[in-house]
Amino acid sequence: MTITLADHYGMCFGVRDALRKTHDTAAAGPTTVLGELVHNPIVQQHLSTLGVQRAHLDAVGSSETSRVVITAHGAADRDRQAWRTAGYQVTDTTCPLVKKAHHALAQITAQGCQAIVIGQPGHVEVRGLCGDFPQAVVVEDEAALQDLPWAAHYGVVSQTTQPIAKVLDLVRKLEQLHPDAKVTFRDTVCQPTKDRQVAMDRLCQENDVIIVIGGRNSNNTRQLSETARRAGLDVHQIETAAELQPAWFSPGCRTGVTAGTSTLDETVQAVMARLKQIAAASRASSPIHRLAPVIQQAIAAFA
Ligand code: SF4
């Protein structure tokens, strides 16, 4: 059994910065995060031990602490402002690459385009993007393209964690569906997501089993799993090393490992260590390995 870690995996700079800023805010006094800081249960648990509370971004005024944190996924300006107006001290950990997507959406809306956001309807980042531009339509798949209102000019952005291949495919299909309309596309898929997807494609070409580490409600983690599933591989998405099962790995199987952008380095290391244990146990129980002492004795007898 071989074990290969992807070239690009795990926590991105946006999540790292959000965690650091939240730690600093919590060190200054009681703090409430408006939503899930990152979609990772281990991080959530860690924040709870620091006394960090949670409230809904939409429920302005519901925080019991005067310090509140906006997550790396961002928020609509009107929500950010509403919390400030209500007297809260707001720490904004919105990732700069999410801000870039907000900026692109503002620009295409200002150009008079029918704005389209390719992404997962209801996801916190998508809600934030559309919050200030209610005329934007969220498109998750090809079927949703059919329901678009007619427009002479469409302007397209995407959720930062969508696979770029899927986004480009939907833009192409939009152009085919409306050949007379102008389509302006602004690529807002973030570089860490692109890097992890490219590394994942490579991992899929060179392995039989793929382990994806990350929160079950993390969009980019789910997208990584989907990529491996589409490639026809055995995929197991896990949150901790304890979930690994030796039965998933046949002797000699090639195992690729990756992790979503909200996964801690410690979790990846624990998974790698457990995989090495499973590989060692599988080697020790193989018939060849059990016969090795007998073969060595036979060779010694002839020597
Ligand atoms: S996944 Fe991309 S957009 Fe989201 S926090 Fe990380 S770097 Fe920023």
Side-chain angles (χ1 to χ4, degrees):
M1 172 175 165
T2 59
I3 306 160
T4 308
L5 192 53
D7 294 335
H8 294 275
Y9 65 90
M11 195 165 278
C12 60
F13 76 94
V15 170
R16 259 183 233 286
D17 283 357
L19 278 175
R20 187 181 43 75
K21 285 183 190 161
T22 305
H23 266 262
D24 292 350
T25 307
T31 297
T32 299
V33 174
L34 302 177
E36 264 193 6
L37 187 65
V38 290
H39 298 313
N40 180 319
I42 298 172
V43 174
Q44 298 301 338
Q45 214 172 347
H46 170 66
L47 291 173
S48 304
T49 60
L50 295 178
V52 174
Q53 300 178 38
R54 185 123 64 97
H56 282 290
L57 176 67
D58 299 340
V60 178
S62 61
S63 166
E64 291 173 6
T65 69
S66 61
R67 289 179 183 79
V68 294
V69 174
I70 288 177
T71 71
H73 308 99
D77 278 343
R78 60 164 194 205
D79 289 333
R80 194 178 281 108
Q81 199 47 48
W83 280 93
R84 286 196 178 118
T85 305
Y88 288 90
Q89 199 177 317
V90 177
T91 300
D92 189 354
T93 73
T94 304
C95 174
L97 300 183
V98 173
K99 283 187 187 158
K100 187 179 146 200
H102 279 255
H103 188 59
L105 185 55
Q107 280 184 332
I108 58 174
T109 305
Q111 285 170 17
C113 302
Q114 167 60 58
I116 295 173
V117 176
I118 295 177
Q120 186 188 348
H123 187 279
V124 59
E125 182 190 323
V126 174
R127 277 191 284 129
L129 276 166
C130 298
D132 291 322
F133 306 99
Q135 66 277 40
V137 179
V138 181
V139 167
E140 188 176 27
D141 50 28
E142 196 179 340
L145 283 178
Q146 310 292 334
D147 301 330
L148 280 177
W150 181 89
H153 189 178
Y154 294 100
V156 186
V157 300
S158 83
Q159 185 179 356
T160 54
T161 51
Q162 287 290 308
I164 186 65
K166 171 188 163 184
V167 171
L168 292 174
D169 184 50
L170 285 175
V171 170
R172 212 168 22 247
K173 290 197 166 112
L174 173 66
E175 287 167 341
Q176 286 165 359
L177 211 59
H178 297 278
D180 299 331
K182 183 176 172 190
V183 176
T184 300
F185 168 56
R186 300 287 301 276
D187 179 1
T188 54
V189 176
C190 76
Q191 194 59 43
T193 291
K194 287 176 181 164
D195 291 343
R196 280 151 188 72
Q197 282 285 338
V198 169
M200 185 62 175
D201 288 341
R202 192 160 157 211
L203 215 56
C204 289
Q205 285 164 17
E206 296 168 355
N207 292 281
D208 312 305
V209 177
I210 300 289
I211 303 297
V212 181
I213 316 163
R216 291 192 216 295
N217 55 350
S218 153
N219 183 56
N220 74 85
T221 305
R222 198 173 37 239
Q223 299 287 358
L224 289 170
S225 299
E226 279 306 311
T227 301
R229 221 162 267 132
R230 275 197 302 275
L233 301 180
D234 270 352
V235 191
H236 302 281
Q237 187 175 322
I238 58 171
E239 289 182 343
T240 65
E243 292 171 52
L244 285 169
Q245 291 179 30
W248 294 344
F249 310 98
S250 55
C253 82
R254 299 169 303 164
T255 305
V257 183
T258 189
T261 53
S262 51
T263 306
L264 296 167
D265 293 344
E266 294 88 319
T267 310
V268 177
Q269 280 159 20
V271 167
M272 291 300 283
R274 176 72 188 118
L275 280 172
K276 283 174 190 161
Q277 280 176 354
I278 291 171
S282 138
R283 258 196 314 276
S285 64
S286 75
I288 291 287
H289 194 90
R290 284 202 305 271
L291 281 175
V294 179
I295 295 168
Q296 273 168 5
Q297 274 176 13
I299 291 170
F302 279 106

